[in-house]
Amino acid sequence: MKTALAMAALAAAAALSAPASAKDIIIHMKDQGAGGAMVFEPAFVKAMPGDTVKFLPTSPIHNAETIAAMLPDGVAPSKGAMGKEFDLKVTKPGLYGIKCLPHYSMGMIALIQVGNGPSPNLAAARAAKLAPLAAKRMNALLAGAK
């Protein structure tokens, strides 16, 4: 009896101390969405370090890639191929700016906030120089970021 109770206590302690498992977060690359033409949907997501953000194309004319000026320190820029899924494993807290290269000038951008904030690169993200329509959409997203 004591052994069964001890085993149950150990199992409960292990379950409570186990790290939360990483999540997959889906963002669609769309020709038309709730935010207009050429959008990521949703355009703003919150994630935790270790999560993977999956960018899924709805047509072959999109890609997803990071915006170098809008990444946490030490995170290397990366990009996906045209018309292919792009998986971005977020490893460090902060803001990750994303663009679709062919439609960047049309404002096709997204923002990922990793961690519970405050984001260490918020000031740098706000200072990044973007194309006019991309900047307009990004400023609206940054207003909701920490």
Side-chain angles (χ1 to χ4, degrees):
M1 181 77 160
K2 286 184 181 182
T3 304
L5 285 174
M7 297 282 278
L10 283 174
L16 290 174
S17 65
S21 60
K23 296 185 309 184
D24 287 344
I25 299 166
I26 305 296
I27 296 179
H28 297 277
M29 300 181 263
K30 294 184 159 188
D31 298 344
Q32 186 69 40
M38 304 303 169
V39 293
F40 289 100
E41 206 165 83
F44 178 71
V45 297
K46 292 184 179 183
M48 295 304 289
D51 288 350
T52 299
V53 182
K54 296 177 172 284
F55 294 87
L56 304 179
T58 57
S59 71
I61 63 170
H62 301 295
N63 84 319
E65 59 186 74
T66 57
I67 300 171
M70 296 184 73
L71 293 173
D73 285 341
V75 174
S78 58
K79 68 189 234 177
M82 291 295 299
K84 304 288 183 190
E85 178 179 323
F86 173 58
D87 293 348
L88 178 64
K89 184 166 184 161
V90 293
T91 56
K92 295 182 85 174
L95 298 173
Y96 292 65
I98 307 294
K99 67 182 176 183
C100 170
L101 185 59
H103 304 108
Y104 169 67
S105 65
M106 297 174 72
M108 192 165 177
I109 52 85
L111 184 64
I112 304 165
Q113 179 181 314
V114 179
N116 292 322
S119 295
N121 63 327
L122 179 59
R126 286 184 173 149
K129 299 294 181 211
L130 304 177
L133 188 50
K136 180 179 178 182
R137 286 183 174 175
M138 186 62 76
N139 288 336
L141 300 178
L142 285 167
K146 296 189 218 180

